[in-house]
Amino acid sequence: MSSPLQRAMGDTKRALSASSSSSASLPFDDRDSNHTSEGNGDSLLADEDTDFEDSLNRNVKKRAAKRPPKTTPVAKHPKKGSRVVHRYSRKQSEPPANDLFNAVKAAKSDMQDSGDYPLIAPGPSWKKFQGSFCEFVRTLVCQCQYSLLYDGFPMDNLISLLTGLSDSQVRAFRHTSTLAAMKLMTSLVKVALQLSVHQDNNQRQYEAERNKGPGQRAPERLESLLEKRKELQEHQEEIEGMMNALFRGVFVHRYRDVLPEIRAICIEEIGCWMQSYSTSFLTDSYLKYIGWTLHDKHREVRLKCVKALKGLYGNRDLTTRLELFTSRFKDRMVSMVMDREYDVAVEAVRLLILILKNMEGVLTDADCESVYPVVYASHRGLASAAGEFLYWKLFYPECEIRMMGGREQRQSPGAQRTFFQLLLSFFVESELHDHAAYLVDSLWDCAGARLKDWEGLTSLLLEKDQNLGDVQESTLIEILVSSARQASEGHPPVGRVTGRKGLTSKERKTQADDRVKLTEHLIPLLPQLLAKFSADAEKVTPLLQLLSCFDLHIYCTGRLEKHLELFLQQLQEVVVKHAEPAVLEAGAHALYLLCNPEFTFFSRADFARSQLVDLLTDRFQQELEELLQSSFLDEDEVYNLAATLKRLSAFYNAHDLTRWELYEPCCQLLQKAVDTGEVPHQVILPALTLVYFSILWTLTHISKSDASQKQLSSLRDRMVAFCELCQSCLSDVDTEIQEQAFVLLSDLLLIFSPQMIVGGRDFLRPLVFFPEATLQSELASFLMDHVFIQPGDLGSGDSQEDHLQIERLHQRRRLLAGFCKLLLYGVLEMDAASDVFKHYNKFYNDYGDIIKETLTRARQIDRSHCSRILLLSLKQLYTELLQEHGPQGLNELPAFIEMRDLARRFALSFGPQQLQNRDLVVMLHKEGIKFSLSELPPAGSSNQPPNLAFLELLSEFSPRLFHQDKQLLLSYLEKCLQHVSQAPGRPWGPVTTYCHSLSPVENTAETSPQVLPSSKRRRVEGPAKPNREDVSSSQEESLQLNSIPPTPTLTSTAVKSRQPLWGLKEMEEEDGSELDFAQGQPVAGTERSRFLGPQYFQTPHNPSGPGLGNQLMRLSLMEEDEEEELEIQDESNEERQDTDMQASSYCSTSERGLDLLDSTELDIEDF
């Protein structure tokens, strides 16, 4: 199919061909600059069909009145066969202009029916259309620049056409004509630039000829040059008139068009004009348009503005004419560094770099300080641009590379030292961040060669007479490690993503070469660095991490085994000297890298490991004997034993220490702690971890091959014994011990869950372990006591306190994630999830993502069971509130309002799949009604049942019901309330609220101005069916809607009318709507008097018998099922929108956090 623009091309071509030699078009007048284009919409008005024709006629008349007739200058050397067209002969063959207008009108009418046009149409062919269209305009002007361009007719009519179309309310016309006009303007600017060059050459030739002597001067030459000058001046005036017409007629109005694509085109082109023809366009009268548009709300327009300014500030010759503009809009350009769109912010920083280079002294220190923090931004492109700005501002002026003889000289050690000193000074004094790795990554693209000067870094660190402080030494070591990791791995720090899928072959080769250079240089120096800083844990930890950046094969190929021996000695000294977890983890990982059987030096590394573990094990045995024999240990003995256990635990995590048999002594230690409570908690924590790793390493050995029953039984006994020890530790007085026991216990239960036999490992089935009910109960109680607690408020002013609270929050999230894993993998009973779900709303900001993911996974496992758990959560909360406050005024308490919010959030979790969740929601309502009436008041009492307020919570799930189900639930409620006595004249509010939430929509829709669908309108206007007294007492059976029954042989054709329980007459008098009760508001006035309790639901006896009415009702429900399925999507969307509007006032913005269930980050939002 052809587009509307294509269908109109034929008429347009015929009109243009008919008018190829028609009337002249005169200069274009200035349009009203106060005309606002924001009022131009995309839709057309009925009385504006002739707006284009009228404006074009007015433009032609005005231009004819303003410009006197004149002849067109003739080219000095016309081409052979060329024909000169004179203005006075045009009127003889002037065709009617209505052909062109009719063609445009036809295209305009077609555009109303289609929103697509070539510039925005999808598809590969249309993608090339814009470029081809712009090339056509450029070629047109290029071919006409020596003849037809100054003829007066073609260009003037084309400009008038584009000007008129650019003012059209049809977006396709306005967009296309604006693009054509701006490209035409750009081509005319190039022609004007060429004319300016020709004029300068002509003036120079004329001056040279006139300065000749009388005998050498040629009068004919001077006369020819004067005629040429006059001709060029006339051409220049013609071009300037055309450019002025386009600028005032198109640009002035379209640069503020409602369509951002049009505004972007205008700003992009004016930037080209200023760069190419700065003499005319690089003035404040044109620059102001770019300055104003810097505040545009659309990303693309702001991006075009910044790129246009980059082209201007990048030319040092043009910067002198930008001083006034810079002083006026500098603050805006600096503030765009913090733009919400990263690509705009990146270009803004690069613009400031050009200003910094080409306009000295313009950017003040305050301006630069607003850019410095961006080097630590999470977006790597923005941080890299800010790093380049920092380099040119602080580092390059002091460390400039001198050029001698056209070749770059090698940097002197003094210059490199200055660079690192400036880098240290900036990082330490700015106090913007705690990790230098992000600063190194930001400077890597512009100063990577300087940062890879590992010789300069190590020389600074190993100097004896250095004047570096403790903080500077730590920072310099971090810079060394970060640059080594960046060079060898190529990965940015945590939190930054490059956006690239892989490295090129050249980059991989460079990375391999840097890794070899780094290894060869640091292998001899690493033992020296460790020896110098071995006493400082903060400095020795990153030095040990350097080993992961090495090419370890060089130890063999480079014959550097002696340096390996020195490193292993220093490693042993560091491990024996320190007990900090970070140092021990780094040391264990470094030794793990060296103990690879593939290396030829494996035996040496393994021997060093055995020596170290033997030393630690001997110490542990001695200290353990002292602890078991004596009843009291001093602080030094406790510290030594705890430090030894920490070292063994760290190495047991990375190395298999099974042959040292640490399980039995650690179990003895833990058993004494449980029995007597005399073991310090500093010793218990690493002992628990040691036993845990011992069990895991044993399981690893058994899983690799078929194990005997004795081995499986022994491992199971150890695992069960450890679980009992951890269970005992859950009641310990020390919080750290409780949390550590909970984490180890949850991980161990997950490992030995039924999942361990998946993948063909049925021989491990004897190891599958299910916790007892007491253990499950203790785990749930621990969760309530340690996770769902109200933390202190952040932002109290004490950064240290805030940091501790954040760490505690992360720890609580880990505990909750471990418990949720046990639920989802079937280790714990799924009903225990109610203890988690009932805190969903109250702790949404802290744990909302974890609970949401758990709820989603639980629904995927068993939808029906998950719905019962949601109801159980509400029952538990309601029962707790009832026991605390009693039944009187329960629904007015703030805690009850929070429960309603939780019920609303649970209802939203069912999603838009109304048909899929139909049976679940009906079941939920049914069980909720049973619970609300499960406890009756004493006989003869007029008080309402204590659980009756639960109906208000249940009303939050009513929008998820079908209309037929609402009627059935009303009947079910009627049946249940018949057994409850109530004083007349005293309605029950919860019953009133719940009944109105079940009221059919059709009763209130009759008064609504909205138009009903055809099926709904037919039901409302159709004949009424029998009253509700025809319904029998077996409604409970009809609630089972798990499947649609087969079509009966006899089907009723009666259309049901939604008649409420109080009869047709009262329904007609009722003016309320369902929305009045969507928020659970009590009914006031006479409306409350209609809900009188159980006696209100009593129905007279039906002489015809209940069976027929109930049968007809069920048959009509079957008939309406097909119609309801067609309306499910629309109705569910309407109900979901209403519910979302109600819930939006209760939802707060939550923090994003890492979902520990699958290690992915989830959006925290409502279901």
Side-chain angles (χ1 to χ4, degrees):
M1 294 180 64
S2 61
S3 64
L5 188 60
Q6 289 174 327
R7 291 196 294 271
M9 287 301 293
D11 298 335
T12 306
K13 290 179 179 179
R14 290 192 295 272
L16 289 175
S17 62
S19 59
S20 59
S21 59
S22 60
S23 62
S25 178
L26 300 175
F28 190 83
D29 68 316
D30 296 343
R31 299 196 46 178
D32 186 7
S33 60
N34 294 327
H35 174 70
T36 59
S37 63
E38 281 79 358
N40 295 340
D42 296 334
S43 61
L44 296 173
L45 302 177
D47 56 349
E48 295 177 348
D49 291 337
T50 60
D51 56 348
F52 169 73
E53 180 178 356
D54 294 340
S55 72
L56 186 58
N57 288 332
R58 286 196 305 270
N59 293 337
V60 172
K61 291 179 181 180
K62 288 181 181 180
R63 297 181 66 187
K66 290 183 65 175
R67 188 178 69 178
K70 66 183 183 69
T71 60
T72 303
V74 182
K76 188 173 183 180
H77 302 288
K79 295 181 180 180
K80 183 177 180 180
S82 63
R83 186 164 54 94
V84 179
V85 181
H86 298 281
R87 294 181 185 271
Y88 61 83
S89 63
R90 293 188 192 128
K91 296 183 180 179
Q92 298 176 1
S93 60
E94 202 174 73
N98 290 333
D99 294 341
L100 178 60
F101 297 146
N102 293 335
V104 175
K105 285 181 181 179
K108 179 178 178 180
S109 177
D110 291 337
M111 286 297 175
Q112 296 179 0
D113 303 329
S114 175
D116 290 339
Y117 52 96
L119 291 185
I120 65 170
S125 59
W126 292 114
K127 296 294 183 182
K128 301 178 181 178
F129 174 80
Q130 183 171 352
S132 302
F133 182 66
C134 297
E135 181 65 20
F136 165 73
V137 176
R138 188 195 67 80
T139 306
L140 176 65
V141 176
C142 182
Q143 295 296 326
C144 299
Q145 61 178 331
Y146 298 112
S147 56
L148 294 178
L149 188 61
Y150 312 105
D151 187 25
F153 166 73
M155 296 307 300
D156 287 354
N157 277 277
L158 180 59
I159 292 173
S160 298
L161 173 66
L162 296 178
T163 304
L165 288 175
S166 67
D167 205 27
S168 173
Q169 290 187 351
V170 180
R171 176 178 298 191
F173 287 173
R174 199 168 71 253
H175 190 183
T176 307
S177 59
T178 302
L179 176 63
M182 293 298 98
K183 291 300 180 181
L184 180 62
M185 179 79 169
T186 302
S187 300
L188 291 176
V189 167
K190 295 180 180 179
V191 174
L193 182 61
Q194 293 179 3
L195 288 176
S196 177
V197 174
H198 292 331
Q199 284 181 329
D200 294 340
N201 293 337
N202 178 268
Q203 181 66 25
R204 188 167 52 255
Q205 293 174 1
Y206 178 80
E207 294 294 337
E209 188 68 27
R210 191 180 63 176
N211 292 334
K212 290 181 180 180
Q216 298 178 351
R217 185 183 306 167
E220 298 82 1
R221 174 68 174 170
L222 289 176
E223 183 179 357
S224 174
L225 290 175
L226 287 174
E227 292 179 358
K228 181 66 174 178
R229 179 195 298 178
K230 184 178 179 180
E231 178 184 349
L232 292 174
Q233 290 177 351
E234 291 177 352
H235 288 182
Q236 189 74 18
E237 292 176 359
E238 284 278 344
I239 294 297
E240 289 179 355
M242 297 177 192
M243 292 190 302
N244 186 56
L246 285 172
F247 185 81
R248 293 180 177 272
V250 180
F251 179 88
V252 171
H253 305 290
R254 299 279 71 80
Y255 89 96
R256 50 197 174 123
D257 193 274
V258 294
L259 195 64
E261 290 85 353
I262 295 179
R263 301 199 300 272
I265 290 172
C266 295
I267 296 302
E268 182 180 13
E269 296 304 319
I270 196 176
C272 296
W273 309 338
M274 292 177 181
Q275 293 181 48
S276 58
Y277 198 13
S278 58
T279 305
S280 297
F281 288 96
L282 193 57
T283 60
D284 296 330
S285 59
Y286 291 99
L287 283 169
K288 63 183 180 182
Y289 296 107
I290 296 183
W292 292 341
T293 320
L294 285 172
H295 298 271
D296 196 276
K297 63 180 180 180
H298 283 85
R299 160 195 163 277
E300 186 64 25
V301 183
R302 297 196 305 275
L303 188 61
K304 295 295 183 183
C305 289
V306 178
K307 288 184 176 181
L309 291 176
K310 282 179 59 182
L312 300 177
Y313 283 100
N315 190 344
R316 185 180 288 270
D317 298 334
L318 302 179
T319 54
T320 55
R321 307 168 67 177
L322 295 169
E323 294 179 355
L324 181 60
F325 174 83
T326 305
S327 62
R328 171 64 179 82
F329 294 100
K330 182 187 70 172
D331 294 340
R332 173 56 184 163
M333 290 187 287
V334 173
S335 66
M336 292 183 73
V337 173
M338 306 302 295
D339 195 277
R340 62 183 179 182
E341 302 291 343
Y342 284 125
D343 51 353
V344 178
V346 170
E347 295 299 330
V349 175
R350 300 195 184 281
L351 173 62
L352 295 180
I353 294 174
L354 295 176
I355 296 176
L356 182 67
K357 290 181 179 180
N358 298 327
M359 299 183 72
E360 292 80 1
V362 172
L363 294 178
T364 63
D365 293 339
D367 297 332
C368 297
E369 289 175 358
S370 62
V371 184
Y372 294 159
V374 186
V375 296
Y376 301 107
S378 59
H379 188 269
R380 192 179 188 279
L382 179 59
S384 179
E388 185 179 356
F389 179 88
L390 177 66
Y391 176 77
W392 285 100
K393 175 62 180 177
L394 296 182
F395 305 140
Y396 184 79
E398 301 294 336
C399 310
E400 182 178 0
I401 300 176
R402 303 296 180 183
M403 303 295 292
M404 299 180 60
R407 301 179 64 183
E408 184 176 311
Q409 302 297 314
R410 179 178 176 83
Q411 269 301 306
S412 62
Q416 284 297 101
R417 181 184 298 270
T418 303
F419 172 77
F420 289 119
Q421 289 176 348
L422 290 173
L423 187 62
L424 283 175
S425 176
F426 171 78
F427 179 78
V428 175
E429 295 177 4
S430 62
E431 297 181 353
L432 296 173
H433 207 274
D434 296 332
H435 300 287
Y438 295 90
L439 179 61
V440 171
D441 183 61
S442 300
L443 292 171
W444 192 256
D445 293 339
C446 59
R450 295 181 180 276
L451 291 170
K452 287 189 289 187
D453 183 17
W454 298 297
E455 297 179 4
L457 283 168
T458 52
S459 62
L460 279 175
L461 289 171
L462 293 174
E463 276 185 359
K464 297 181 179 180
D465 299 331
Q466 60 178 351
N467 297 322
L468 298 177
D470 184 67
V471 177
Q472 291 177 327
E473 286 181 347
S474 300
T475 304
L476 202 60
I477 290 175
E478 189 175 0
I479 291 174
L480 170 64
V481 177
S482 301
S483 63
R485 184 178 290 115
Q486 191 83 15
S488 61
E489 299 176 0
H491 300 304
V494 177
R496 283 188 182 171
V497 181
T498 59
R500 301 175 58 185
K501 295 183 178 180
L503 300 176
T504 62
S505 58
K506 182 179 179 181
E507 291 173 338
R508 285 194 296 269
K509 184 178 183 303
T510 303
Q511 180 176 317
D513 295 341
D514 291 339
R515 192 183 187 104
V516 171
K517 294 178 182 178
L518 168 72
T519 306
E520 292 176 347
H521 175 72
L522 286 181
I523 280 180
L525 298 180
L526 185 57
Q528 302 178 31
L529 292 171
L530 289 174
K532 182 176 182 180
F533 301 106
S534 61
D536 194 333
E538 185 179 356
K539 299 173 185 176
V540 76
T541 302
L543 289 176
L544 289 174
Q545 295 172 354
L546 271 175
L547 201 68
S548 61
C549 305
F550 288 0
D551 184 2
L552 297 178
H553 291 89
I554 296 180
Y555 272 116
C556 306
T557 58
R559 296 183 178 181
L560 301 174
E561 289 84 355
K562 62 178 181 179
H563 298 292
L564 177 61
E565 293 289 347
L566 294 175
F567 174 79
L568 291 174
Q569 294 176 8
Q570 293 297 327
L571 176 61
Q572 182 174 348
E573 292 182 8
V574 168
V575 172
V576 173
K577 189 180 297 183
H578 293 278
E580 290 80 2
V583 179
L584 297 177
E585 182 181 353
H589 182 67
L591 191 57
Y592 172 79
L593 294 175
L594 295 175
C595 292
N596 190 343
E598 296 179 357
F599 297 140
T600 56
F601 54 83
F602 167 71
S603 58
R604 297 185 181 181
D606 184 60
F607 178 74
R609 177 175 59 183
S610 300
Q611 281 185 326
L612 179 59
V613 178
D614 287 338
L615 175 64
L616 297 176
T617 305
D618 293 340
R619 285 188 180 183
F620 171 61
Q621 295 290 350
Q622 297 175 3
E623 295 164 352
L624 179 62
E625 289 180 4
E626 295 178 1
L627 176 64
L628 296 177
Q629 294 176 1
S630 63
S631 59
F632 176 77
L633 291 177
D634 57 12
E635 295 182 0
D636 293 339
E637 292 175 342
V638 172
Y639 174 80
N640 292 333
L641 177 58
T644 304
L645 286 173
K646 288 179 182 178
R647 298 183 184 107
L648 288 172
S649 176
F651 276 82
Y652 216 160
N653 187 17
H655 305 268
D656 184 9
L657 307 183
T658 306
R659 59 192 176 99
W660 279 272
E661 298 179 355
L662 297 174
Y663 175 82
E664 292 297 337
C666 289
C667 283
Q668 295 179 8
L669 181 63
L670 292 176
Q671 191 63 45
K672 180 178 180 180
V674 172
D675 296 339
T676 64
E678 298 177 356
V679 181
H681 72 280
Q682 301 95 323
V683 177
I684 297 177
L685 290 174
L688 285 171
T689 309
L690 271 173
V691 177
Y692 171 75
F693 287 139
S694 175
I695 294 175
L696 293 188
W697 278 110
T698 306
L699 177 63
T700 303
H701 292 305
I702 292 178
S703 301
K704 292 181 179 179
S705 60
D706 294 338
S708 62
Q709 291 296 326
K710 183 179 179 181
Q711 291 176 325
L712 294 175
S713 177
S714 174
L715 177 58
R716 180 180 175 84
D717 293 340
R718 288 189 175 189
M719 186 267 299
V720 173
F722 181 68
C723 289
E724 293 176 353
L725 287 174
C726 290
Q727 184 177 356
S728 302
C729 292
L730 289 177
S731 57
D732 195 275
V733 294
D734 190 80
T735 305
E736 293 185 18
I737 295 178
Q738 292 179 349
E739 294 181 353
Q740 181 73 359
F742 181 86
V743 171
L744 297 179
L745 187 58
S746 59
D747 288 347
L748 204 61
L749 290 176
L750 188 63
I751 293 172
F752 286 88
S753 67
Q755 302 293 327
M756 72 182 309
I757 62 175
V758 177
R761 294 181 294 181
D762 291 337
F763 64 94
L764 296 178
R765 188 177 296 275
L767 297 178
V768 176
F769 177 74
F770 291 96
E772 297 179 355
T774 56
L775 179 56
Q776 297 188 32
S777 177
E778 289 192 29
L779 291 174
S781 300
F782 176 86
L783 200 71
M784 298 301 104
D785 297 336
H786 293 80
V787 174
F788 295 110
I789 57 177
Q790 290 293 347
D793 296 332
L794 295 177
S796 58
D798 188 357
S799 59
Q800 186 68 20
E801 183 66 24
D802 291 346
H803 179 73
L804 292 177
Q805 289 190 24
I806 293 174
E807 290 296 328
R808 293 298 304 164
L809 175 60
H810 287 312
Q811 176 65 13
R812 290 194 298 270
R813 286 174 59 86
R814 285 191 288 268
L815 297 176
L816 178 60
F819 186 82
C820 293
K821 290 177 184 177
L822 297 179
L823 293 172
L824 297 176
Y825 282 95
V827 179
L828 302 180
E829 295 292 336
M830 188 60 74
D831 289 341
S834 61
D835 295 329
V836 177
F837 294 161
K838 66 183 181 182
H839 296 94
Y840 186 21
N841 193 68
K842 188 176 182 179
F843 292 89
Y844 188 79
N845 291 337
D846 295 338
Y847 318 121
D849 55 339
I850 299 177
I851 300 178
K852 177 181 177 180
E853 183 68 13
T854 305
L855 179 58
T856 303
R857 302 275 182 95
R859 180 172 284 110
Q860 293 174 356
I861 296 173
D862 191 340
R863 293 169 52 248
S864 178
H865 195 189
C866 181
S867 301
R868 290 188 175 90
I869 294 173
L870 296 181
L871 184 62
L872 178 60
S873 302
L874 294 175
K875 289 180 181 179
Q876 291 176 352
L877 286 176
Y878 183 85
T879 303
E880 294 173 3
L881 188 64
L882 183 65
Q883 294 175 354
E884 183 177 357
H885 296 279
Q888 299 299 327
L890 195 65
N891 55 357
E892 297 178 359
L893 296 175
F896 188 83
I897 297 176
E898 292 182 1
M899 290 171 58
R900 292 202 61 165
D901 296 341
L902 177 63
R904 184 179 297 109
R905 196 178 291 275
F906 284 165
L908 292 173
S909 68
F910 284 96
Q913 296 82 12
Q914 193 173 5
L915 182 61
Q916 183 181 2
N917 298 318
R918 182 179 183 181
D919 54 343
L920 303 179
V921 179
V922 171
M923 178 271 298
L924 189 145
H925 277 268
K926 178 182 174 182
E927 296 297 329
I929 293 174
K930 289 181 180 179
F931 174 76
S932 63
L933 300 175
S934 58
E935 297 183 13
L936 300 179
S941 175
S942 60
N943 295 332
Q944 68 180 24
N947 295 339
L948 194 63
F950 191 80
L951 291 176
E952 295 192 19
L953 303 180
L954 212 58
S955 64
E956 299 295 339
F957 296 88
S958 297
R960 302 292 165 182
L961 290 168
F962 283 94
H963 302 308
Q964 307 97 310
D965 301 337
K966 291 181 179 180
Q967 288 191 343
L968 295 178
L969 287 171
L970 280 173
S971 303
Y972 181 73
L973 180 62
E974 170 191 353
K975 173 189 173 183
C976 295
L977 287 175
Q978 288 177 356
H979 304 285
V980 182
S981 61
Q982 182 188 13
R986 296 184 60 186
W988 285 339
V991 177
T992 301
T993 302
Y994 184 63
C995 288
H996 274 272
S997 70
L998 296 178
S999 297
V1001 178
E1002 286 78 0
N1003 291 342
T1004 58
E1006 294 178 357
T1007 61
S1008 175
Q1010 299 178 357
V1011 180
L1012 294 174
S1014 58
S1015 58
K1016 292 183 180 180
R1017 189 183 305 114
R1018 177 168 53 84
R1019 294 182 190 178
V1020 173
E1021 299 173 357
K1025 65 181 182 180
N1027 293 335
R1028 191 176 296 275
E1029 53 261 16
D1030 294 337
V1031 182
S1032 67
S1033 61
S1034 60
Q1035 291 90 348
E1036 183 176 355
E1037 298 177 0
S1038 63
L1039 289 175
Q1040 308 299 329
L1041 301 174
N1042 295 329
S1043 61
I1044 299 178
T1047 304
T1049 56
L1050 178 62
T1051 304
S1052 172
T1053 59
V1055 180
K1056 298 199 303 178
S1057 63
R1058 302 294 189 250
Q1059 181 176 352
L1061 298 176
W1062 51 89
L1064 182 60
K1065 182 176 181 179
E1066 292 183 352
M1067 181 194 69
E1068 294 174 352
E1069 297 175 358
E1070 178 63 37
D1071 294 330
S1073 64
E1074 183 184 63
L1075 295 178
D1076 296 334
F1077 302 91
Q1079 300 289 349
Q1081 301 291 340
V1083 183
T1086 58
E1087 294 177 351
R1088 293 181 63 92
S1089 63
R1090 296 185 183 131
F1091 297 89
L1092 302 178
Q1095 72 277 8
Y1096 169 73
F1097 293 99
Q1098 294 178 1
T1099 57
H1101 175 69
N1102 186 5
S1104 62
L1108 179 60
N1110 190 29
Q1111 183 180 7
L1112 289 177
M1113 179 178 180
R1114 283 198 297 239
L1115 293 179
S1116 59
L1117 279 176
M1118 299 173 190
E1119 180 184 3
E1120 290 178 358
D1121 278 340
E1122 297 180 358
E1123 298 176 357
E1124 286 295 336
E1125 290 178 1
L1126 298 177
E1127 300 174 17
I1128 286 170
Q1129 190 65 32
D1130 294 336
E1131 293 171 354
S1132 62
N1133 290 338
E1134 294 172 1
E1135 294 172 352
R1136 187 169 69 254
Q1137 291 175 1
D1138 294 340
T1139 310
D1140 290 343
M1141 292 175 62
Q1142 299 169 15
S1144 62
S1145 61
Y1146 299 94
C1147 297
S1148 60
T1149 305
S1150 61
E1151 300 177 356
R1152 292 176 179 265
L1154 292 178
D1155 183 6
L1156 302 179
L1157 296 178
D1158 54 0
S1159 300
T1160 58
E1161 190 171 355
L1162 300 175
D1163 292 334
I1164 302 177
E1165 58 185 5
D1166 290 341
F1167 287 91

